[in-house]
Amino acid sequence: MLEPITTRPPDGPAMLSIRDLDVHFPLANGQLVRAVEQLSLTLRAGETVGLVGESGSGKTTVGKTALRLVKPTAGHIEIGGMDVIDVSARDLRKLRQKAQIIFQDPHSSLNPRMTIRRAVSEGLILNTDLRGRTLRDRVSETLTSLGLPAQFHDRYPHELSGGQKQRVCIARALVLDPDLLVLDEPTSALDVSVQAQILGILKDLRDTRPSLTQLFISHNLAVIRFLCERVAVMYLGRIVEEGPVEQVFDAPAHPYTRALLSAVPVPEAVKRPDRMRLSGDIPSPTNVPKGCAFHTRCPIAEKGLCDTTPPPALTPGPGRMALCHFAGRTTEQT
Amino acid sequence: MTDASLEPGPVAIREPMRFRETRRAIRTYSRSFSSMLGLVIVIVFLFIAAFGPWLAPYPQDAYGAIDFGAKLLPPSAEHWFGTDQVGSDILSRVLIGARTTLQIGVTVTGIAILIGVPLGLIAGMTSGWISEGIMRVTDIFLSIPGLILAIAIVGALGPGIINAMIALSLVWWPGYVRLVQAKTLSQRNETYVDAARALGAGPLRVVFVHVLPNCLSPIIVKASMDMGMAILGAASLGFLGLGAQPPYPEWGAMISTGRAYLPDWWWATFFPGLAIYLTVLGFNLMGDGLRDVFDPRQR
């Protein structure tokens, strides 16, 4: 088994900086989906940060908005020091070369009418002056390095397996040599054995390109622990807890993080006494609860406090943040 | 295409995968008897349209030559399809009329595509009042029966083959707007469009490189079927006296004049009618076959 990544201190300049981000989508019936609310997150250069949360918590929206594929309602986003909210279309294209994304479903993220060579070439044609022989060589080299030998390069996506398609998507992003890579649940649409292959590739990526900054979106906590240095936990469009992976996973400060961690299935027949269950579903982002967004499902919520007052961002440890009235107390308990 | 894929030439070596796709398509198409029948009919029709004036035994009869001594002769070795009321050879007129028919089909379908596909792309890619406006106008056109509207337009412009084509083109495009708009809407939410935007593709590149090629299959299928329907529409206008005017060799107009001589001199209407029937059938069968090839559910 591969070794977990050793934690590096979060120094260096910010590669991705998100401040006070709001993303709202109006519905046809006049309601407003508050997909992301007041979210701030900073990724230092070379850092890999995990973004976890259950379905509907807004993880994917954050990833897409960071690359300006979705227009934010309010807030600031900078990539490598460059503002990506108020930029012209031309400047935005320059950004494309620096920041790339890998999507969840490899089956729909490749154009069915393009050979994979063309798919991987497209970014280079759009962003660089490489043409002809050099372009071809660069594309072939990238595809081959990801385990797709030459006989695959002229195939169409429907002739490849899911894992092969995801490798094409990784090649398409990496061939531009980006500084920032957003990985939007890159393994969850694949079956387990293929997941391991792709995770191996991503792990190698950490070793071969240490300067690459990665935002790894996933609901799989084991994968986050395996690949990331820091983790941010999302609930209803907000980051409720953030910090170094080991600290957050070993001593979660937010009750939602504790619930998430205890929901991870373990291959043991013994029933865990500390299993913490959440009742009900995640509330609709069209109707976010008042006060603390989590109070409707929180086992430690206090009436008169949590359902009226939004929680402050407390600091349960160095480099950590938790959005809970009791963040100090819960760390002492666990 | 067929020859190229059978010969292992240098092209086939450079892009073997593309030809594998082509071979697969040809195999799927040729598996069906009716598709092949449609293809054969269409090829015969195209051949006649190209060489009609040289195939016709009495080419001058197509352009109003009159020989009352030979009028309304039944089919015989000399006149295979018989002769009409002015003694013109019907076989010659049918053969030469094929070119007119092809012109009508290609023109009407072509203009409908040129108007309908761009409007459909615009309506599908944009939102707001532009898209709404295009779609509501399309709905208005679609809610009026096409042939009735075409009759009204020809009535306003005056009868004639050119006006008939213009009228048919003007009522034919809304179908393409609907088709392309629906297809575009589904394509633009595909992840690969997001991926292309993330790579730096501008809106025009997204439309022409990513969205339009994925809309082509249903357009081709609809176009091949519309060839038949447009021919039928033009023949209907011709039959009503609004299209080609006698003695111009157009099948619909030939039926119209021959109608007065039914049922005793049946060949004057039967053979042009048979020509229309076979041509429309051929294009429809071919369209069905192409749909089988392009249908992604087959993959």
Side-chain angles (χ1 to χ4, degrees):
Chain A
M1 199 58 203
L2 298 153
E3 288 284 303
I5 289 161
T6 48
T7 309
R8 271 177 297 186
D11 51 3
M15 177 50 68
L16 171 66
S17 148
I18 302 173
R19 270 180 296 134
D20 304 327
L21 180 71
D22 283 352
V23 186
H24 299 167
F25 300 108
L27 291 183
N29 61 12
Q31 284 184 304
L32 201 62
V33 177
R34 296 168 188 278
V36 178
E37 284 256 288
Q38 288 297 301
L39 184 139
S40 297
L41 182 66
T42 302
L43 272 69
R44 310 245 156 235
E47 199 178 26
T48 299
V49 174
L51 193 59
V52 288
E54 63 196 293
S55 307
S57 59
K59 308 178 299 265
T60 298
T61 308
V62 170
K64 283 191 181 177
T65 312
L67 296 196
R68 198 49 171 74
L69 293 174
V70 172
K71 195 171 163 53
T73 313
H76 304 276
I77 299 174
E78 283 181 8
I79 293 178
M82 177 184 161
D83 182 16
V84 297
I85 304 295
D86 296 312
V87 286
S88 65
R90 189 183 298 164
D91 286 342
L92 195 60
R93 300 240 183 104
K94 281 185 209 147
L95 163 86
R96 299 305 186 197
Q97 198 181 348
K98 284 162 66 175
Q100 277 300 312
I101 184 163
I102 292 166
F103 292 97
Q104 173 173 6
D105 183 5
H107 305 284
S108 66
S109 48
L110 292 169
N111 185 336
R113 300 223 164 255
M114 278 191 178
T115 62
I116 64 172
R117 183 194 300 284
R118 266 193 77 198
V120 177
S121 303
E122 189 173 20
L124 289 173
I125 291 170
L126 285 166
N127 293 296
T128 66
D129 296 329
L130 286 184
R131 292 294 181 272
R133 181 108 225 136
T134 34
L135 173 78
R136 234 181 124 76
D137 289 348
R138 176 86 175 270
V139 169
S140 301
E141 188 189 314
T142 310
L143 281 168
T144 312
S145 73
L146 287 162
L148 288 161
Q151 75 253 31
F152 288 96
H153 297 183
D154 288 305
R155 290 202 187 171
Y156 285 89
H158 70 91
E159 297 174 296
L160 303 183
S161 71
Q164 287 167 337
K165 280 185 221 178
Q166 195 59 299
R167 278 184 259 173
V168 175
C169 294
I170 296 173
R172 179 171 64 182
L174 289 183
V175 78
L176 288 171
D177 205 11
D179 300 325
L180 173 68
L181 187 61
V182 174
L183 299 117
D184 184 6
E185 307 206 30
T187 58
S188 48
L190 305 170
D191 59 47
V192 178
S193 60
V194 183
Q195 280 188 20
Q197 283 177 21
I198 299 293
L199 288 176
I201 288 173
L202 297 176
K203 177 77 165 60
D204 290 345
L205 199 60
R206 294 295 328 270
D207 303 332
T208 52
R209 299 192 189 209
S211 64
L212 183 65
T213 312
Q214 296 180 51
L215 179 62
F216 197 100
I217 299 166
S218 181
H219 55 243
N220 188 332
L221 299 171
V223 169
I224 296 278
R225 186 164 210 160
F226 176 61
L227 285 172
C228 301
E229 291 142 11
R230 279 201 305 135
V231 63
V233 181
M234 272 188 88
Y235 184 77
L236 270 184
R238 296 155 176 80
I239 289 181
V240 293
E241 180 162 8
E242 190 192 329
V245 166
E246 288 99 59
Q247 290 180 35
V248 171
F249 280 25
D250 294 344
H254 196 282
Y256 179 65
T257 314
R258 281 164 55 206
L260 266 190
L261 287 167
S262 77
V264 173
V266 281
E268 280 158 25
V270 197
K271 201 178 172 194
R272 287 176 297 169
D274 60 338
R275 176 99 163 86
M276 180 174 153
R277 283 175 194 280
L278 290 183
S279 52
D281 280 331
I282 189 164
S284 162
T286 56
N287 189 14
V288 178
K290 267 200 187 125
C292 175
F294 185 55
H295 84 263
T296 52
R297 299 166 77 194
C298 182
I300 59 166
E302 256 176 37
K303 247 199 153 71
L305 175 67
C306 296
D307 54 353
T308 54
T309 318
L314 297 180
T315 312
R320 295 186 63 181
M321 186 284 283
L323 207 63
C324 177
H325 291 290
F326 311 114
R329 220 185 291 171
T330 39
T331 25
E332 283 157 31
Q333 281 172 357
T334 41
Chain B
M1 215 53 143
T2 320
D3 296 335
S5 64
L6 293 175
E7 278 172 356
V11 182
I13 288 165
R14 206 183 68 219
E15 288 179 324
M17 293 311 152
R18 185 149 300 171
F19 283 105
R20 211 170 74 186
E21 278 294 285
T22 312
R23 270 205 296 275
R24 190 195 58 79
I26 292 170
R27 212 170 35 240
T28 312
Y29 188 91
S30 57
R31 247 202 319 261
S32 153
F33 172 75
S34 59
S35 311
M36 288 310 282
L37 181 67
L39 184 67
V40 169
I41 293 174
V42 168
I43 288 172
V44 169
F45 170 71
L46 292 177
F47 179 79
I48 291 171
F51 301 106
W54 293 277
L55 295 172
Y58 307 94
Q60 72 284 0
D61 283 10
Y63 302 106
I66 293 172
D67 177 10
F68 285 113
K71 74 171 184 178
L72 296 170
L73 293 176
S76 64
E78 202 176 340
H79 298 287
W80 288 5
F81 288 2
T83 61
D84 65 10
Q85 73 284 355
V86 293
S88 298
D89 179 55
I90 290 176
L91 175 63
S92 302
R93 290 175 60 80
V94 167
L95 290 179
I96 291 171
R99 186 175 289 186
T100 312
T101 306
L102 179 69
Q103 271 170 2
I104 293 166
V106 170
T107 312
V108 171
T109 314
I111 293 178
I113 288 175
L114 284 179
I115 299 175
V117 171
L119 284 180
L121 281 174
I122 294 169
M125 292 303 291
T126 60
S127 47
W129 64 270
I130 299 178
S131 158
E132 280 297 310
I134 293 173
M135 293 321 291
R136 291 301 81 79
V137 171
T138 303
D139 286 344
I140 292 170
F141 270 92
L142 283 174
S143 67
I144 306 168
L147 198 58
I148 306 288
L149 188 56
I151 289 169
I153 296 172
V154 183
L157 295 175
I161 185 84
I162 301 289
N163 288 347
M165 285 197 276
I166 293 172
L168 284 171
S169 309
L170 288 180
V171 301
W172 225 271
W173 59 266
Y176 287 91
V177 178
R178 267 255 163 268
L179 179 80
V180 173
Q181 186 250 6
K183 195 77 186 145
T184 307
L185 271 183
S186 70
Q187 294 297 319
R188 81 165 187 187
N189 290 325
E190 289 281 337
T191 319
Y192 64 79
V193 171
D194 267 344
R197 288 173 56 215
L199 289 170
L204 285 178
R205 187 176 171 91
V206 166
V207 170
F208 289 109
V209 178
H210 294 279
V211 174
L212 187 56
N214 284 291
C215 300
L216 275 183
S217 313
I219 294 175
I220 292 170
V221 172
K222 183 170 164 57
S224 67
M225 297 208 168
D226 274 357
M227 285 286 292
M229 298 314 290
I231 288 167
L232 199 58
S236 306
L237 289 179
F239 178 76
L240 294 172
L242 295 169
Q245 299 298 308
Y248 198 82
E250 197 271 326
W251 297 343
M254 287 166 72
I255 296 178
S256 177
T257 44
R259 188 176 54 114
Y261 301 91
L262 278 173
D264 296 329
W265 299 281
W266 54 269
W267 52 89
T269 46
F270 177 79
F271 288 107
L274 187 69
I276 295 172
Y277 167 75
L278 284 177
T279 309
V280 175
L281 180 75
F283 278 109
N284 273 296
L285 291 179
M286 191 176 82
D288 270 341
L290 289 175
R291 171 174 314 190
D292 290 345
V293 170
F294 288 132
D295 194 336
R297 278 168 299 187
Q298 295 250 322
R299 293 190 175 177

